[in-house]
Amino acid sequence: MMVWTMFILAHVCIARASLFTEFCPGVEDVKLGDLDTDGFPRWIVLRLKRWKGNEDGKRQQTLHLVRNKMHPEYCPVVNTVFWMKILAEHGIHCGPLFPFINNGHTTFAQPLEYIKNEQWEKWVGQLFVYVGGELLECTFHSIPRSAVKWAARCSAPQFDMQGGRWVRNSEAFQLYIRDGILKSKELLAHLGAGDVDPIFKFWVWVPTV
């Protein structure tokens, strides 16, 4: 449950590996939004206090993650809520949202330890190998790279995509944006009038004000 939740959040947050390991936000940094008719929050607010390039925590970010009702199994809200319930059952209400795992089991003993980058990247690699096919060649970097391309296809603002998770003048970041926009144009050229990019069937970037 924990690894899957980390995997989902890494996509929607366009995260570096370190964002949920050495700089992992705390359980107390997750705030639940208004409840929907089924009892789940419509969104969650994730406060990021530290990340690579902001190790001293002088800057902060607040990410609003909304529900994916089309595919609940990929929903960042549903998965995070379920994971936080597991933490609460073990009396965990503060400390890293994703604690260290030892011998295949989450270590809930206080003080909670942070996951190491190497461990997280190993899990992601194993997941890609398990799925197979084209994903055999993927690494953790494939997650933020794909997320930037998908967000660009959704016409997401560059500032929202970048945040503190990409270097401001990153050539790779700009390349992925261009790739995403080009992919969207190619797909729309073969669709009928009024159709939208198929990306919206599973990845929805909701603008906020």
Side-chain angles (χ1 to χ4, degrees), residues 9 21 68 148 168 173 185 204:
L9 287 183
T21 55
N68 180 349
V148 168
R168 181 169 299 176
F173 178 74
K185 290 181 178 179
V204 180

Side-chain angles (χ1 to χ4, degrees), residues 90-112:
H90 288 81
I92 306 300
H93 303 285
C94 62
L97 181 61
F98 301 114
F100 173 71
I101 284 185
N102 186 26
N103 295 325
H105 299 284
T106 306
T107 303
F108 290 111
Q110 295 284 3
L112 298 179

Side-chain angles (χ1 to χ4, degrees), residues 5 62 117 146 176:
T5 304
T62 301
N117 278 1
S146 297
Y176 301 151

Side-chain angles (χ1 to χ4, degrees), residues 13 15-25 48 50-51 165:
C13 294
R16 293 175 180 267
S18 58
L19 189 62
F20 292 114
T21 55
E22 60 182 300
F23 302 124
C24 186
L48 305 180
R50 299 189 305 132
W51 55 85
R165 301 174 295 283

Side-chain angles (χ1 to χ4, degrees), residues 27 81-93 108:
V27 179
V81 167
F82 275 131
W83 174 241
M84 291 181 69
K85 286 183 178 179
I86 293 175
L87 292 175
E89 290 171 359
H90 288 81
I92 306 300
H93 303 285
F108 290 111

Side-chain angles (χ1 to χ4, degrees), residues 14-16 51-55 59 61 141 144 148 158-159 161-177:
I14 314 183
R16 293 175 180 267
W51 55 85
K52 186 175 181 179
N54 183 48
E55 290 84 352
R59 293 173 289 155
Q61 293 185 70
H141 184 69
V148 168
Q158 179 172 326
F159 177 80
M161 288 188 278
Q162 195 167 18
R165 301 174 295 283
W166 286 87
V167 177
R168 181 169 299 176
N169 297 318
S170 169
E171 293 183 5
F173 178 74
Q174 297 299 332
L175 174 62
Y176 301 151
I177 289 179

